Amino acid sequence: MTKNYFEEMMAELDFHVADNIALGYQQGFPLSVEFNKNAETTEFFLRVVVDRDAKPARKRLKEQEQGSVKWFSEKDEEGEGGVLVGVLAPPSDFYAKGAVHGAAVAAAETLKELDYAPPSRCPLCDGEGCDRYAYLAEGCRATHKLCLQTRLDLPEKDTKTPLKARGFYLTGILGALLGASIAALPNWSQALSKGTINSVIYAFIPFLSALLYRLFRGKANRIAGGVIVMVSSLIVAFLLELVWYWLVTTNMAGYNMSIATTTALYFESHSLAQTVKEMMFSLLFLILGFFPAFILLRRYAASGTTGGRLERGALFVRQSAFSVKKGKVSAEIQREAESEAGEDSPAREDPAGAGAEVEVE
């Protein structure tokens, strides 16, 4: 489903659309319908803010077994009430309009049966007598036109809160070892075919190790990532040194020897200082290659994200505001209002919002 199609569909249902969120009300309950444009299939989030815990309403709606809707309840962070949440996943776009309308009606009727009510006080000034509805604190809420102009303590534009890629140590270790091994392949191949090793290639070992550490979603921590990449690079470099020692020893002995045998001889004849001395140039280039690798890890830890919550700014909130005008209602609502209020009384506003004219402020 495209964004334009969503806007047209919700306009036909008498909702006011701002960006990918539609706001309206059903049987006196303000509600919002958000189109999840990032999902692989069509998906909507219906949210109704109510005056108390929404768990009983969620339980009642679950008993109705609506196939394309899953119901949840959340605590209202703005007040002491709750939020009824419906996740709609219609089988195709053809059924989207009916699914949204059916879910909104089912939610409103269930809330009325259980004597719920929407919050009546403005979240910006805590006053009553609200004359607008707007998208505030992730819900369609009653407010005042003046409050939207003077009391919104929000950034003007929308912002996205970063969500750090936490990652895992195990996948990071696997990625770092794999990257270091791939970077060492040219030297291994050169050692086996030509009997030589190029020390410059060692500079690519920590960099490719860090690259695959990030690709494998290692822990998003620059210190942990740096240690894992450095240790992995040293392990692979030392394994390459053992392969080189096997080749040299076998060539000097004049007969084939197993790597296990030459490895045992290496540990018997080499101290740590001697190993570092023989690998001096290789380790030097390894350290030089670690600097760009650490920069990559630092950026990954600082800005590597898997998403984040979109915080709506003041501009969007004002654009989402709407009110209902008297005078333009359907004939059915008009007759109902006149029968209840009396012929001498003015027609009341449509409590359900059906057929009402939406005025965008």
Side-chain angles (χ1 to χ4, degrees):
M1 175 179 289
T2 63
K3 184 178 176 181
N4 289 338
Y5 185 85
F6 170 73
E7 292 177 354
E8 293 173 2
M9 179 186 77
M10 298 310 297
E12 291 175 1
L13 293 174
D14 291 328
F15 277 70
H16 168 49
V17 183
D19 196 13
N20 62 318
I21 297 180
L23 296 94
Y25 44 82
Q26 183 67 237
Q27 301 185 34
F29 288 92
L31 55 89
S32 64
V33 178
E34 181 176 0
F35 170 46
N36 185 7
K37 55 187 178 182
N38 296 321
E40 295 181 359
T41 58
T42 301
E43 188 177 61
F44 307 96
F45 298 101
L46 184 149
R47 297 173 62 86
V48 190
V49 183
V50 290
D51 57 348
R52 63 181 190 274
D53 190 355
K55 288 181 181 178
R58 179 204 64 189
K59 184 178 179 181
R60 178 73 63 87
L61 285 164
K62 279 189 173 181
E63 293 172 354
Q64 297 179 13
E65 296 183 356
Q66 299 175 349
S68 60
V69 188
K70 293 183 180 179
W71 295 100
F72 304 90
S73 61
E74 298 177 357
K75 183 180 178 181
D76 183 13
E77 301 296 336
E78 185 65 30
E80 298 179 355
V83 182
L84 179 65
V85 182
V87 180
L88 291 73
S92 69
D93 293 351
F94 179 80
Y95 299 98
K97 182 178 177 182
V100 171
H101 177 71
V105 171
E109 289 180 350
T110 300
L111 292 171
K112 286 186 69 176
E113 290 174 4
L114 298 177
D115 295 324
Y116 279 91
S120 59
R121 291 185 174 274
C122 171
L124 299 177
C125 70
D126 199 35
E128 296 185 343
C130 299
D131 58 2
R132 294 291 184 274
Y133 287 100
Y135 190 78
L136 289 165
E138 298 187 7
C140 186
R141 303 173 188 269
T143 185
H144 302 98
K145 178 180 179 180
L146 185 61
C147 290
L148 292 175
Q149 296 172 352
T150 62
R151 294 178 179 268
L152 272 179
D153 186 18
L154 293 171
E156 190 65 19
K157 296 183 178 181
D158 297 345
T159 57
K160 194 169 186 179
T161 57
L163 180 63
K164 291 291 179 65
R166 297 178 180 176
F168 304 94
Y169 286 112
L170 179 60
T171 58
I173 292 171
L174 292 175
L177 287 171
L178 180 61
S181 300
I182 293 174
L185 282 178
N187 254 340
W188 285 351
S189 177
Q190 187 172 317
L192 293 173
S193 61
K194 298 181 180 180
T196 59
I197 287 180
N198 189 343
S199 299
V200 178
I201 297 179
Y202 280 79
F204 295 94
I205 292 178
F207 184 78
L208 197 60
S209 177
L211 195 62
L212 265 71
Y213 178 89
R214 184 181 68 175
L215 184 64
F216 277 56
R217 288 292 181 190
K219 195 71 173 178
N221 182 290
R222 61 189 179 91
I223 302 300
V227 170
I228 290 173
V229 166
M230 178 55 77
V231 171
S232 300
S233 300
L234 289 173
I235 289 174
V236 170
F238 183 68
L239 290 175
L240 185 56
E241 179 70 11
L242 293 178
V243 171
W244 176 247
Y245 184 78
W246 167 66
L247 290 172
V248 172
T249 305
T250 301
N251 186 51
M252 291 178 61
Y255 60 91
N256 290 330
M257 301 175 65
S258 66
I259 292 182
T261 301
T262 57
T263 299
L265 291 174
Y266 184 91
F267 284 108
E268 289 177 4
S269 60
H270 284 69
S271 63
L272 179 61
Q274 188 175 356
T275 299
V276 173
K277 183 179 179 180
E278 291 182 358
M279 296 180 64
M280 182 179 299
F281 288 103
S282 301
L283 293 176
L284 178 62
F285 282 101
L286 191 77
I287 294 172
L288 289 175
F290 181 73
F291 287 103
F294 189 73
I295 293 174
L296 189 148
L297 292 171
R298 185 177 61 186
R299 290 178 178 175
Y300 170 63
S303 61
T305 60
T306 58
R309 190 176 66 178
L310 187 65
E311 299 283 356
R312 293 295 186 173
L315 180 62
F316 174 84
V317 173
R318 294 191 185 101
Q319 289 176 344
S320 71
F322 69 98
S323 64
V324 177
K325 264 187 179 178
K326 287 186 179 181
K328 192 175 180 181
V329 293
S330 66
E332 183 179 349
I333 296 295
Q334 181 75 20
R335 287 195 299 269
E336 182 180 291
E338 289 178 352
S339 63
E340 292 184 5
E343 298 206 358
D344 294 334
S345 301
R348 298 182 306 167
E349 291 180 14
D350 171 21
E357 179 184 353
V358 173
E359 177 191 10
V360 181
E361 298 298 329

